[in-house]
Amino acid sequence: MVKLSLVMPAIRTERWLNVYNSIQVDFPWELIIVSPYELPETLKNKNNIKFFKDMGSPVRASCIGASLAEGKYLTWICDDSLVFSKTLSKAVNILDNSINGRLVVVTKYLEACTEVH
């Protein structure tokens, strides 16, 4: 079972592999990319990527991605950002340990990152 679905409306194909590699969690996850551009060869062999080609807006891409998500939890990610180490695991752990199940975790992100510190 997929625990976390990450939806990425995307146009910057040259950055997608770095985004993918920055997602380091210890549970099953999927990256759903919705884009007008083709999936790069470097990502075609990844079994936890869903790709949907669409020529619409980023908002439309977000909605399409959310409709394809299978995870218990859902979040969005930018195609010009990187995930800081352990942040997604910490967020999911908080959600897993919520008492009433009506908890939302909000995190910040940096755009146009080239490396995670």
Side-chain angles (χ1 to χ4, degrees), residues 32-90:
I32 304 166
I33 301 172
V34 182
S35 175
Y37 302 110
E38 295 296 327
L39 190 64
E41 288 296 322
T42 55
L43 293 174
K44 287 186 177 178
N45 66 340
K46 309 294 186 193
N47 62 2
N48 61 341
I49 289 184
K50 290 182 184 173
F51 177 77
F52 189 92
K53 187 168 184 175
D54 186 74
M55 305 301 280
S57 71
V59 171
R60 175 179 155 133
S62 295
C63 293
I64 291 169
S67 72
L68 297 172
E70 295 182 46
K72 179 178 180 182
Y73 303 116
L74 173 71
T75 191
W76 283 266
I77 189 169
C78 297
D79 70 347
D80 66 345
S81 64
L82 300 174
V83 177
F84 286 97
S85 178
K86 301 180 184 173
T87 56
L88 290 174
S89 293
K90 287 179 184 178

Side-chain angles (χ1 to χ4, degrees), residues 3-4 23-27 29 73 83-97:
K3 190 162 216 176
L4 179 64
I23 302 167
Q24 298 175 4
V25 294
D26 55 359
F27 47 78
W29 59 279
Y73 303 116
V83 177
F84 286 97
S85 178
K86 301 180 184 173
T87 56
L88 290 174
S89 293
K90 287 179 184 178
V92 166
N93 188 44
I94 290 168
L95 291 168
D96 278 344
N97 292 311

